[in-house]
Amino acid sequence: MEQAPAVPRNHPPAWARAFVAVFLTAFVACGLGAGELWPLTRWHLFSAVRQPIQVGWRAVTVDAAGRETPLPVGQLPLAYRGAPLLVGRFDKLTPAEQASLCDSLIAGVRSLGRNVLALRIYRVTKDESIRVGARAAPETVALRYTCAHGTVQAAGP
Amino acid sequence: MRRIERWIFSAGTPERLAAIRIGLCSALALRLTRTVYLSIAGQPHSLYRPLSFMHLLHSMPPWGVVLPIQVVGGVAAVLAALGWRARHTLPLAWACGLLLGGMTTSLGKVVHNDVLLLLCMVPLLPAPVSDAWSLDARAGRTKPGDPMRYGWPVQTALIVVAGSYFFSGFAKLVNSGPAWALGSNMRWVLYISSDSRPSPDHWSLFIADRAWLAHLVAASILLLELGFPIVLFWKRARPAFVAGAILFHLGTWLTLGLDYWAQAATVAIVLIDWPALVARARGRSNATKGAAEARPRTQPPDLRPEPRAAR
């Protein structure tokens, strides 16, 4: 520890000691993984090792002609910024939450003036270790869910 | 433990605390000018993923609530930086920043961009932050006195900065072990980031395509994070860690597109002893001025002929 700049004249007030003790204890406890009490956090920043095989989820919209278009996340309002993350947890949502999420996404895309009849959610597998130029090798996709008219239909295992 | 306590509660200067107040409040004011808060206001309920205290709210606050909070928070942050009624404006700015930051972290992913800034402001909330370099001091509203009042907020903020980086490294070791740096983890991180962009990112690919470089970058990050507590013990190491943190966040922005300028700025604001830097710069400037004034006396006499008078 560095030297104190001057000889203390008085003791700091008791409330200051208590305040610092509580704050630092909470900061250290959360930092050691006790909990995520934002802004007190566990500091999990890219802490999990990434693997070359990436399994993700992708939502596409389906128009009246049956044409598929990727969910235009970049054109949707910022409020939808977390949508891909939520689609990625679709499996873990309750049926009611799944239906509600689908409805919100469909409504969001319709607000852009697009014709949307249904939403399809695909499971996407990509191997980052196989490179084709500057990109990963083409991914494999499998349909998992179809949302239409307020219902969610599971497809495949 | 006693030693740590003595270090935290050592004497300080009102100027050092004021410098941190000015820096952190200015950074917060800039953060509160972002349009992201209004964009996510009134988000559809099904997309709302509250975290921490945001569970108290049923859904994302509406536009009509967010706008006044953002305006009040921004103005309060500027006033706190200027040191106007800072005992009130600083906590107000912090509370507004906390709520708005809570909104951005309730989109489905923990957002860390403003966390260090908000946490380093916590020890300033009850501290006498405007006893120097402030409008309050100019107006005679403060009573500068006991140096023991100014040390602990600065030392606590230092611990928070060092701890934030240390815990980031610690989480990597706990969750992944040495494989985080020794395996191909960094290559996959960079490839995934590049592939998720509309066009490939050349900075990411430059590192990811060279395994040795990816290992070096990963090991450097881990070393920087785990070594950060050194700044608490060794004052001279602080400039190196400030430079390392800025370089690290610049690299993260270039390769992953993650904007952590507020965190890098917080590190510089807290770790650098700004009053000492200003005093040194003034001393150097005075020394230069003094030398310039002394120069004519020491210079040899000018033996050149007098210029001819104009005819």
Side-chain angles (χ1 to χ4, degrees):
Chain A
M1 298 281 171
E2 68 191 64
Q3 291 298 308
V7 178
R9 283 189 288 164
N10 287 314
H11 288 293
W15 66 262
R17 287 177 184 274
F19 179 82
V20 170
V22 169
F23 173 59
L24 288 183
T25 302
F27 173 72
V28 171
C30 288
L32 291 174
E36 192 69 53
L37 297 169
W38 196 96
L40 293 163
T41 171
R42 293 181 295 168
W43 300 100
H44 282 194
L45 289 145
F46 290 87
S47 64
V49 163
R50 301 299 195 273
Q51 301 299 335
I53 306 290
Q54 290 294 309
V55 180
W57 298 82
R58 180 180 300 153
V60 299
T61 58
V62 185
D63 64 16
R67 274 191 302 266
E68 288 188 349
T69 311
L71 189 73
V73 179
Q75 293 165 43
L76 288 169
L78 272 176
Y80 290 82
R81 196 171 61 168
L85 292 163
L86 299 181
V87 169
R89 293 175 205 156
F90 206 79
D91 260 351
K92 295 173 185 122
L93 301 178
T94 64
E97 285 174 334
Q98 288 178 339
S100 175
L101 177 60
C102 281
D103 287 347
S104 297
L105 293 177
I106 289 172
V109 180
R110 280 182 182 154
S111 72
L112 298 174
R114 299 195 184 175
N115 169 19
V116 183
L117 206 66
L119 190 82
R120 288 182 188 150
I121 295 174
Y122 287 93
R123 186 183 155 98
V124 181
T125 309
K126 195 191 273 188
D127 189 345
E128 294 287 343
S129 66
I130 304 171
R131 310 296 299 175
V132 179
R135 295 289 196 191
E139 59 215 8
T140 56
V141 294
L143 179 65
R144 293 301 304 273
Y145 296 98
T146 302
C147 312
H149 314 298
T151 61
V152 181
Q153 209 175 0
Chain B
M1 206 63 187
R2 279 264 170 92
R3 210 173 163 204
I4 294 172
E5 201 183 344
R6 265 207 311 273
W7 181 79
I8 293 174
F9 293 100
S10 55
T13 64
E15 288 80 14
R16 179 83 198 275
L17 186 56
I20 292 179
R21 181 203 81 227
I22 293 167
L24 296 185
C25 290
S26 302
L28 182 64
L30 285 174
R31 292 302 281 175
L32 294 184
T33 60
R34 296 188 305 155
T35 56
V36 62
Y37 311 113
L38 290 174
S39 305
I40 59 177
Q43 180 198 48
H45 176 67
S46 61
L47 298 176
Y48 185 56
R49 288 294 178 273
L51 197 69
S52 182
F53 64 89
M54 290 300 283
H55 280 286
L56 297 171
L57 303 178
H58 179 62
S59 61
M60 206 64 95
W63 203 85
V65 172
V66 174
L67 181 63
I69 291 174
Q70 192 170 356
V71 171
V72 168
V75 171
V78 171
L79 292 175
L82 293 171
W84 187 81
R85 310 270 179 196
R87 296 296 288 268
H88 305 290
T89 49
L90 193 146
L92 181 63
W94 182 83
C96 294
L98 184 74
L99 180 69
L100 297 174
M103 287 173 63
T104 61
T105 205
S106 296
L107 296 171
K109 189 176 185 290
V110 182
V111 172
H112 292 94
N113 306 54
D114 292 332
V115 164
L116 188 61
L117 173 63
L118 289 170
L119 288 180
C120 282
M121 286 182 79
V122 170
L124 272 59
L125 297 176
V129 287
S130 57
D131 282 2
W133 295 356
S134 70
L135 294 176
D136 286 344
R138 280 198 168 197
R141 282 193 290 266
T142 58
K143 286 183 208 158
D146 188 357
M148 294 301 290
R149 299 164 70 212
Y150 309 112
W152 65 264
V154 178
Q155 310 294 72
T156 308
L158 275 169
I159 292 175
V160 170
V161 169
S164 67
Y165 283 90
F166 174 78
F167 289 131
S168 297
F170 177 76
K172 289 177 178 78
L173 278 189
V174 168
N175 293 334
S176 307
W180 196 89
L182 301 177
S184 296
N185 168 56
M186 184 55 71
R187 298 182 69 201
W188 310 138
V189 167
L190 295 169
Y191 277 139
I192 293 164
S193 167
S194 175
D195 286 346
S196 67
R197 296 191 188 194
S199 56
D201 178 62
H202 297 293
W203 288 99
S204 302
L205 293 177
F206 182 83
I207 299 169
D209 286 343
R210 293 159 180 80
W212 66 268
L213 186 56
H215 288 306
L216 185 68
V217 168
S220 305
I221 291 170
L222 212 50
L223 206 65
L224 175 80
E225 290 182 336
L226 293 172
F228 230 94
I230 291 172
V231 301
L232 301 176
F233 305 95
W234 191 22
K235 207 172 174 182
R236 284 189 159 193
R238 288 179 191 171
F241 276 90
V242 170
I246 290 171
L247 202 65
F248 170 42
H249 293 299
L250 183 68
T252 311
W253 177 64
L254 287 173
T255 54
L256 306 179
L258 299 175
D259 178 6
Y260 272 79
W261 78 258
Q263 182 159 333
T266 302
V267 173
I269 291 162
V270 174
L271 257 62
I272 294 174
D273 186 349
W274 295 100
L277 206 66
V278 169
R280 206 175 306 155
R282 275 188 189 158
R284 199 171 292 162
S285 147
N286 287 345
T288 314
K289 207 188 282 177
E293 281 167 6
R295 204 168 291 133
R297 281 182 298 221
T298 55
Q299 269 179 344
D302 192 351
L303 299 175
R304 285 175 297 179
E306 287 279 317
R308 283 184 196 172
R311 286 179 187 171

